[in-house]
Amino acid sequence: MMKITRCHFLWMLLILVLLCFIFQTFVNRDMEPDRRRVPPDLSSVVSSTTRNRLSTDRGLVHTTTADVHTTTAACHPQSHIVFLKTHKTASSTILNILYRYGESRNLTFALPVNKHSQLFYPSFFVSHFVEGVRSGSVKEFHIMCNHMRFRKAEVAKVMPEDTFYFSIIRHPVTMMESIFIYYNSIQAFSKTHSLDDFLDSSWTNYNSSMPNNHYAHNNLAFDFGFDNNVTADAEDLEYKASRAVAAIEWEFHLILISEYFDESMILLKYVLCWSLEDVVSFKINSRSNKTRHQISPKTTEKIKRWNALDWRIYLHFNVTFWHKVDSLVGREQMKIEVSKLRELRVELAKTCLKEGRAVDPSKVIDAGLKPFQYGAAVIEGYNLKSDLETQTRTQCQRLITPELQYTQHLYTLQFPAQH
């Protein structure tokens, strides 16, 4: 009996050793970097020299340990995202980044119903503005990023609890100059000859009840869902400004700054645990320099006073932005990564663009890539090189597709039966 027992024991020990070996083999395999996580989004677009400098893996440009702030199990690419798309803040470029990221990973967008391009802005957002909510045809939304007037309670009905909320703001002075050119047909601007003319008469002639006049007064505050009809002389200005700031800090994880766009993209890369190629971009919906105007110091002060609420919001988040840079990235590392981002953008322009840069809309050859023109602004577009390989052409085209066309493209992909 003892021999049988000892024999059984030896067999059990051998089997246990074999099981441990097999288990360790699977663990080691699972601990290897999941290379499938980064799709071949810009794989064949950049040159081998740039790929080597920016770190590559099998032809894919993506971040290494040095590029990502952490490679621990706690750092997982974020795919549940709400981006509050504000007006005239480079938000269309960020929209393109989010569209590309989501499309390349088959994520689901919270798109406006009935093929609209906006979530019924300027009305406050309501959950049924999203295609697939009322019908229940979509079980999980990943990204919401079209124009809306923000209302967190309604957004939360659509998006998962672990959603990352962010937005971007711009200096109210340059933002106002852009708004005046782009929305020159609204009632607030239509009878004025210049921005100064409007500012000199705004205190007496501005009518907040007229359609679309919200663009002319504290439009940032309006987009975030606050009352924008606050004047610099109002006794409760500071109170309303502090309430707005507190609400934004409570409801959003990150506020980016348009004036520091590249730094904003690096910061976004860190907090979302994305790669450098995920946040590279060309400017979308950007004006030609011939429709940009210099603002005098006197006009600057008028704008700050007229848009006093926006000015206070901007001042606060311009400070918190740099606090986040210092705590998450560091100034020196930020300079290194911004340099890499710009280098990658230049390389992509050389590879993708016929002229190597944006061109006047009249010179855009492909009608499907012509940017929408509005107001007195001249919105530039791009031409692709004609000799691009199929995969490269697809990747390059995503980088330059205007907002309206890309939105319709995604709608067709998500809801083919309604096309």
Side-chain angles (χ1 to χ4, degrees), residues 32-255:
E32 291 180 358
D34 184 6
R35 310 218 185 270
R36 292 171 296 175
R37 180 177 68 79
V38 182
D41 192 15
L42 299 175
S43 57
S44 61
V45 179
V46 297
S47 69
S48 59
T49 303
T50 300
R51 285 201 300 269
N52 290 334
R53 283 198 298 268
L54 297 176
S55 177
T56 66
D57 176 49
R58 298 180 184 178
L60 303 186
V61 180
H62 72 276
T63 52
T64 62
T65 304
D67 295 316
V68 180
H69 65 292
T70 175
T71 56
T72 66
C75 182
H76 297 289
Q78 177 63 268
S79 60
H80 290 144
I81 298 166
V82 167
F83 171 57
L84 177 61
K85 189 177 186 297
T86 48
H87 288 80
K88 316 318 297 176
T89 58
S91 63
S92 291
T93 301
I94 297 179
L95 185 83
N96 177 270
I97 290 172
L98 295 171
Y99 275 175
R100 285 165 28 221
Y101 184 88
E103 182 185 10
S104 65
R105 290 158 177 81
N106 294 319
L107 302 182
T108 301
F109 289 88
L111 297 173
V113 296
N114 301 326
K115 300 183 181 180
H116 285 278
S117 60
Q118 301 183 356
L119 292 162
F120 291 85
Y121 183 91
S123 298
F124 273 108
F125 176 78
V126 181
S127 61
H128 65 254
F129 289 169
V130 174
E131 189 71 67
V133 168
R134 272 187 168 166
S135 65
S137 61
V138 179
K139 302 306 179 185
E140 179 186 12
F141 292 100
H142 295 96
I143 300 176
M144 180 184 291
C145 53
N146 298 93
H147 275 306
M148 65 172 156
R149 191 176 186 197
F150 189 72
R151 185 155 60 178
K152 178 67 175 287
E154 288 294 316
V155 174
K157 292 179 182 179
V158 179
M159 302 300 294
E161 288 186 8
D162 66 345
T163 295
F164 182 87
Y165 289 76
F166 80 103
S167 188
I168 186 168
I169 62 176
R170 182 180 181 182
H171 195 296
V173 172
T174 54
M175 180 179 168
M176 186 66 174
E177 184 272 333
S178 179
I179 285 174
F180 182 80
I181 297 298
Y182 197 82
Y183 297 106
N184 67 339
S185 62
I186 66 173
Q187 187 272 339
F189 297 149
S190 61
K191 296 181 180 180
T192 59
H193 300 290
S194 67
L195 181 55
D196 273 308
D197 285 343
F198 167 75
L199 293 168
D200 290 339
S201 62
S202 60
W203 301 97
T204 55
N205 295 333
Y206 175 77
N207 184 351
S208 62
S209 65
M210 294 296 293
N212 295 322
N213 269 6
H214 63 273
Y215 288 116
H217 196 200
N218 290 312
N219 189 234
L220 272 178
F222 184 90
D223 285 355
F224 277 98
F226 306 112
D227 177 13
N228 62 316
N229 294 309
V230 182
T231 64
D233 296 327
E235 293 182 359
D236 60 350
L237 170 62
E238 298 303 332
Y239 171 72
K240 287 187 175 180
S242 63
R243 280 191 61 188
V245 164
I248 295 171
E249 286 199 327
W250 178 258
E251 295 175 336
F252 289 83
H253 297 94
L254 180 65
I255 300 297

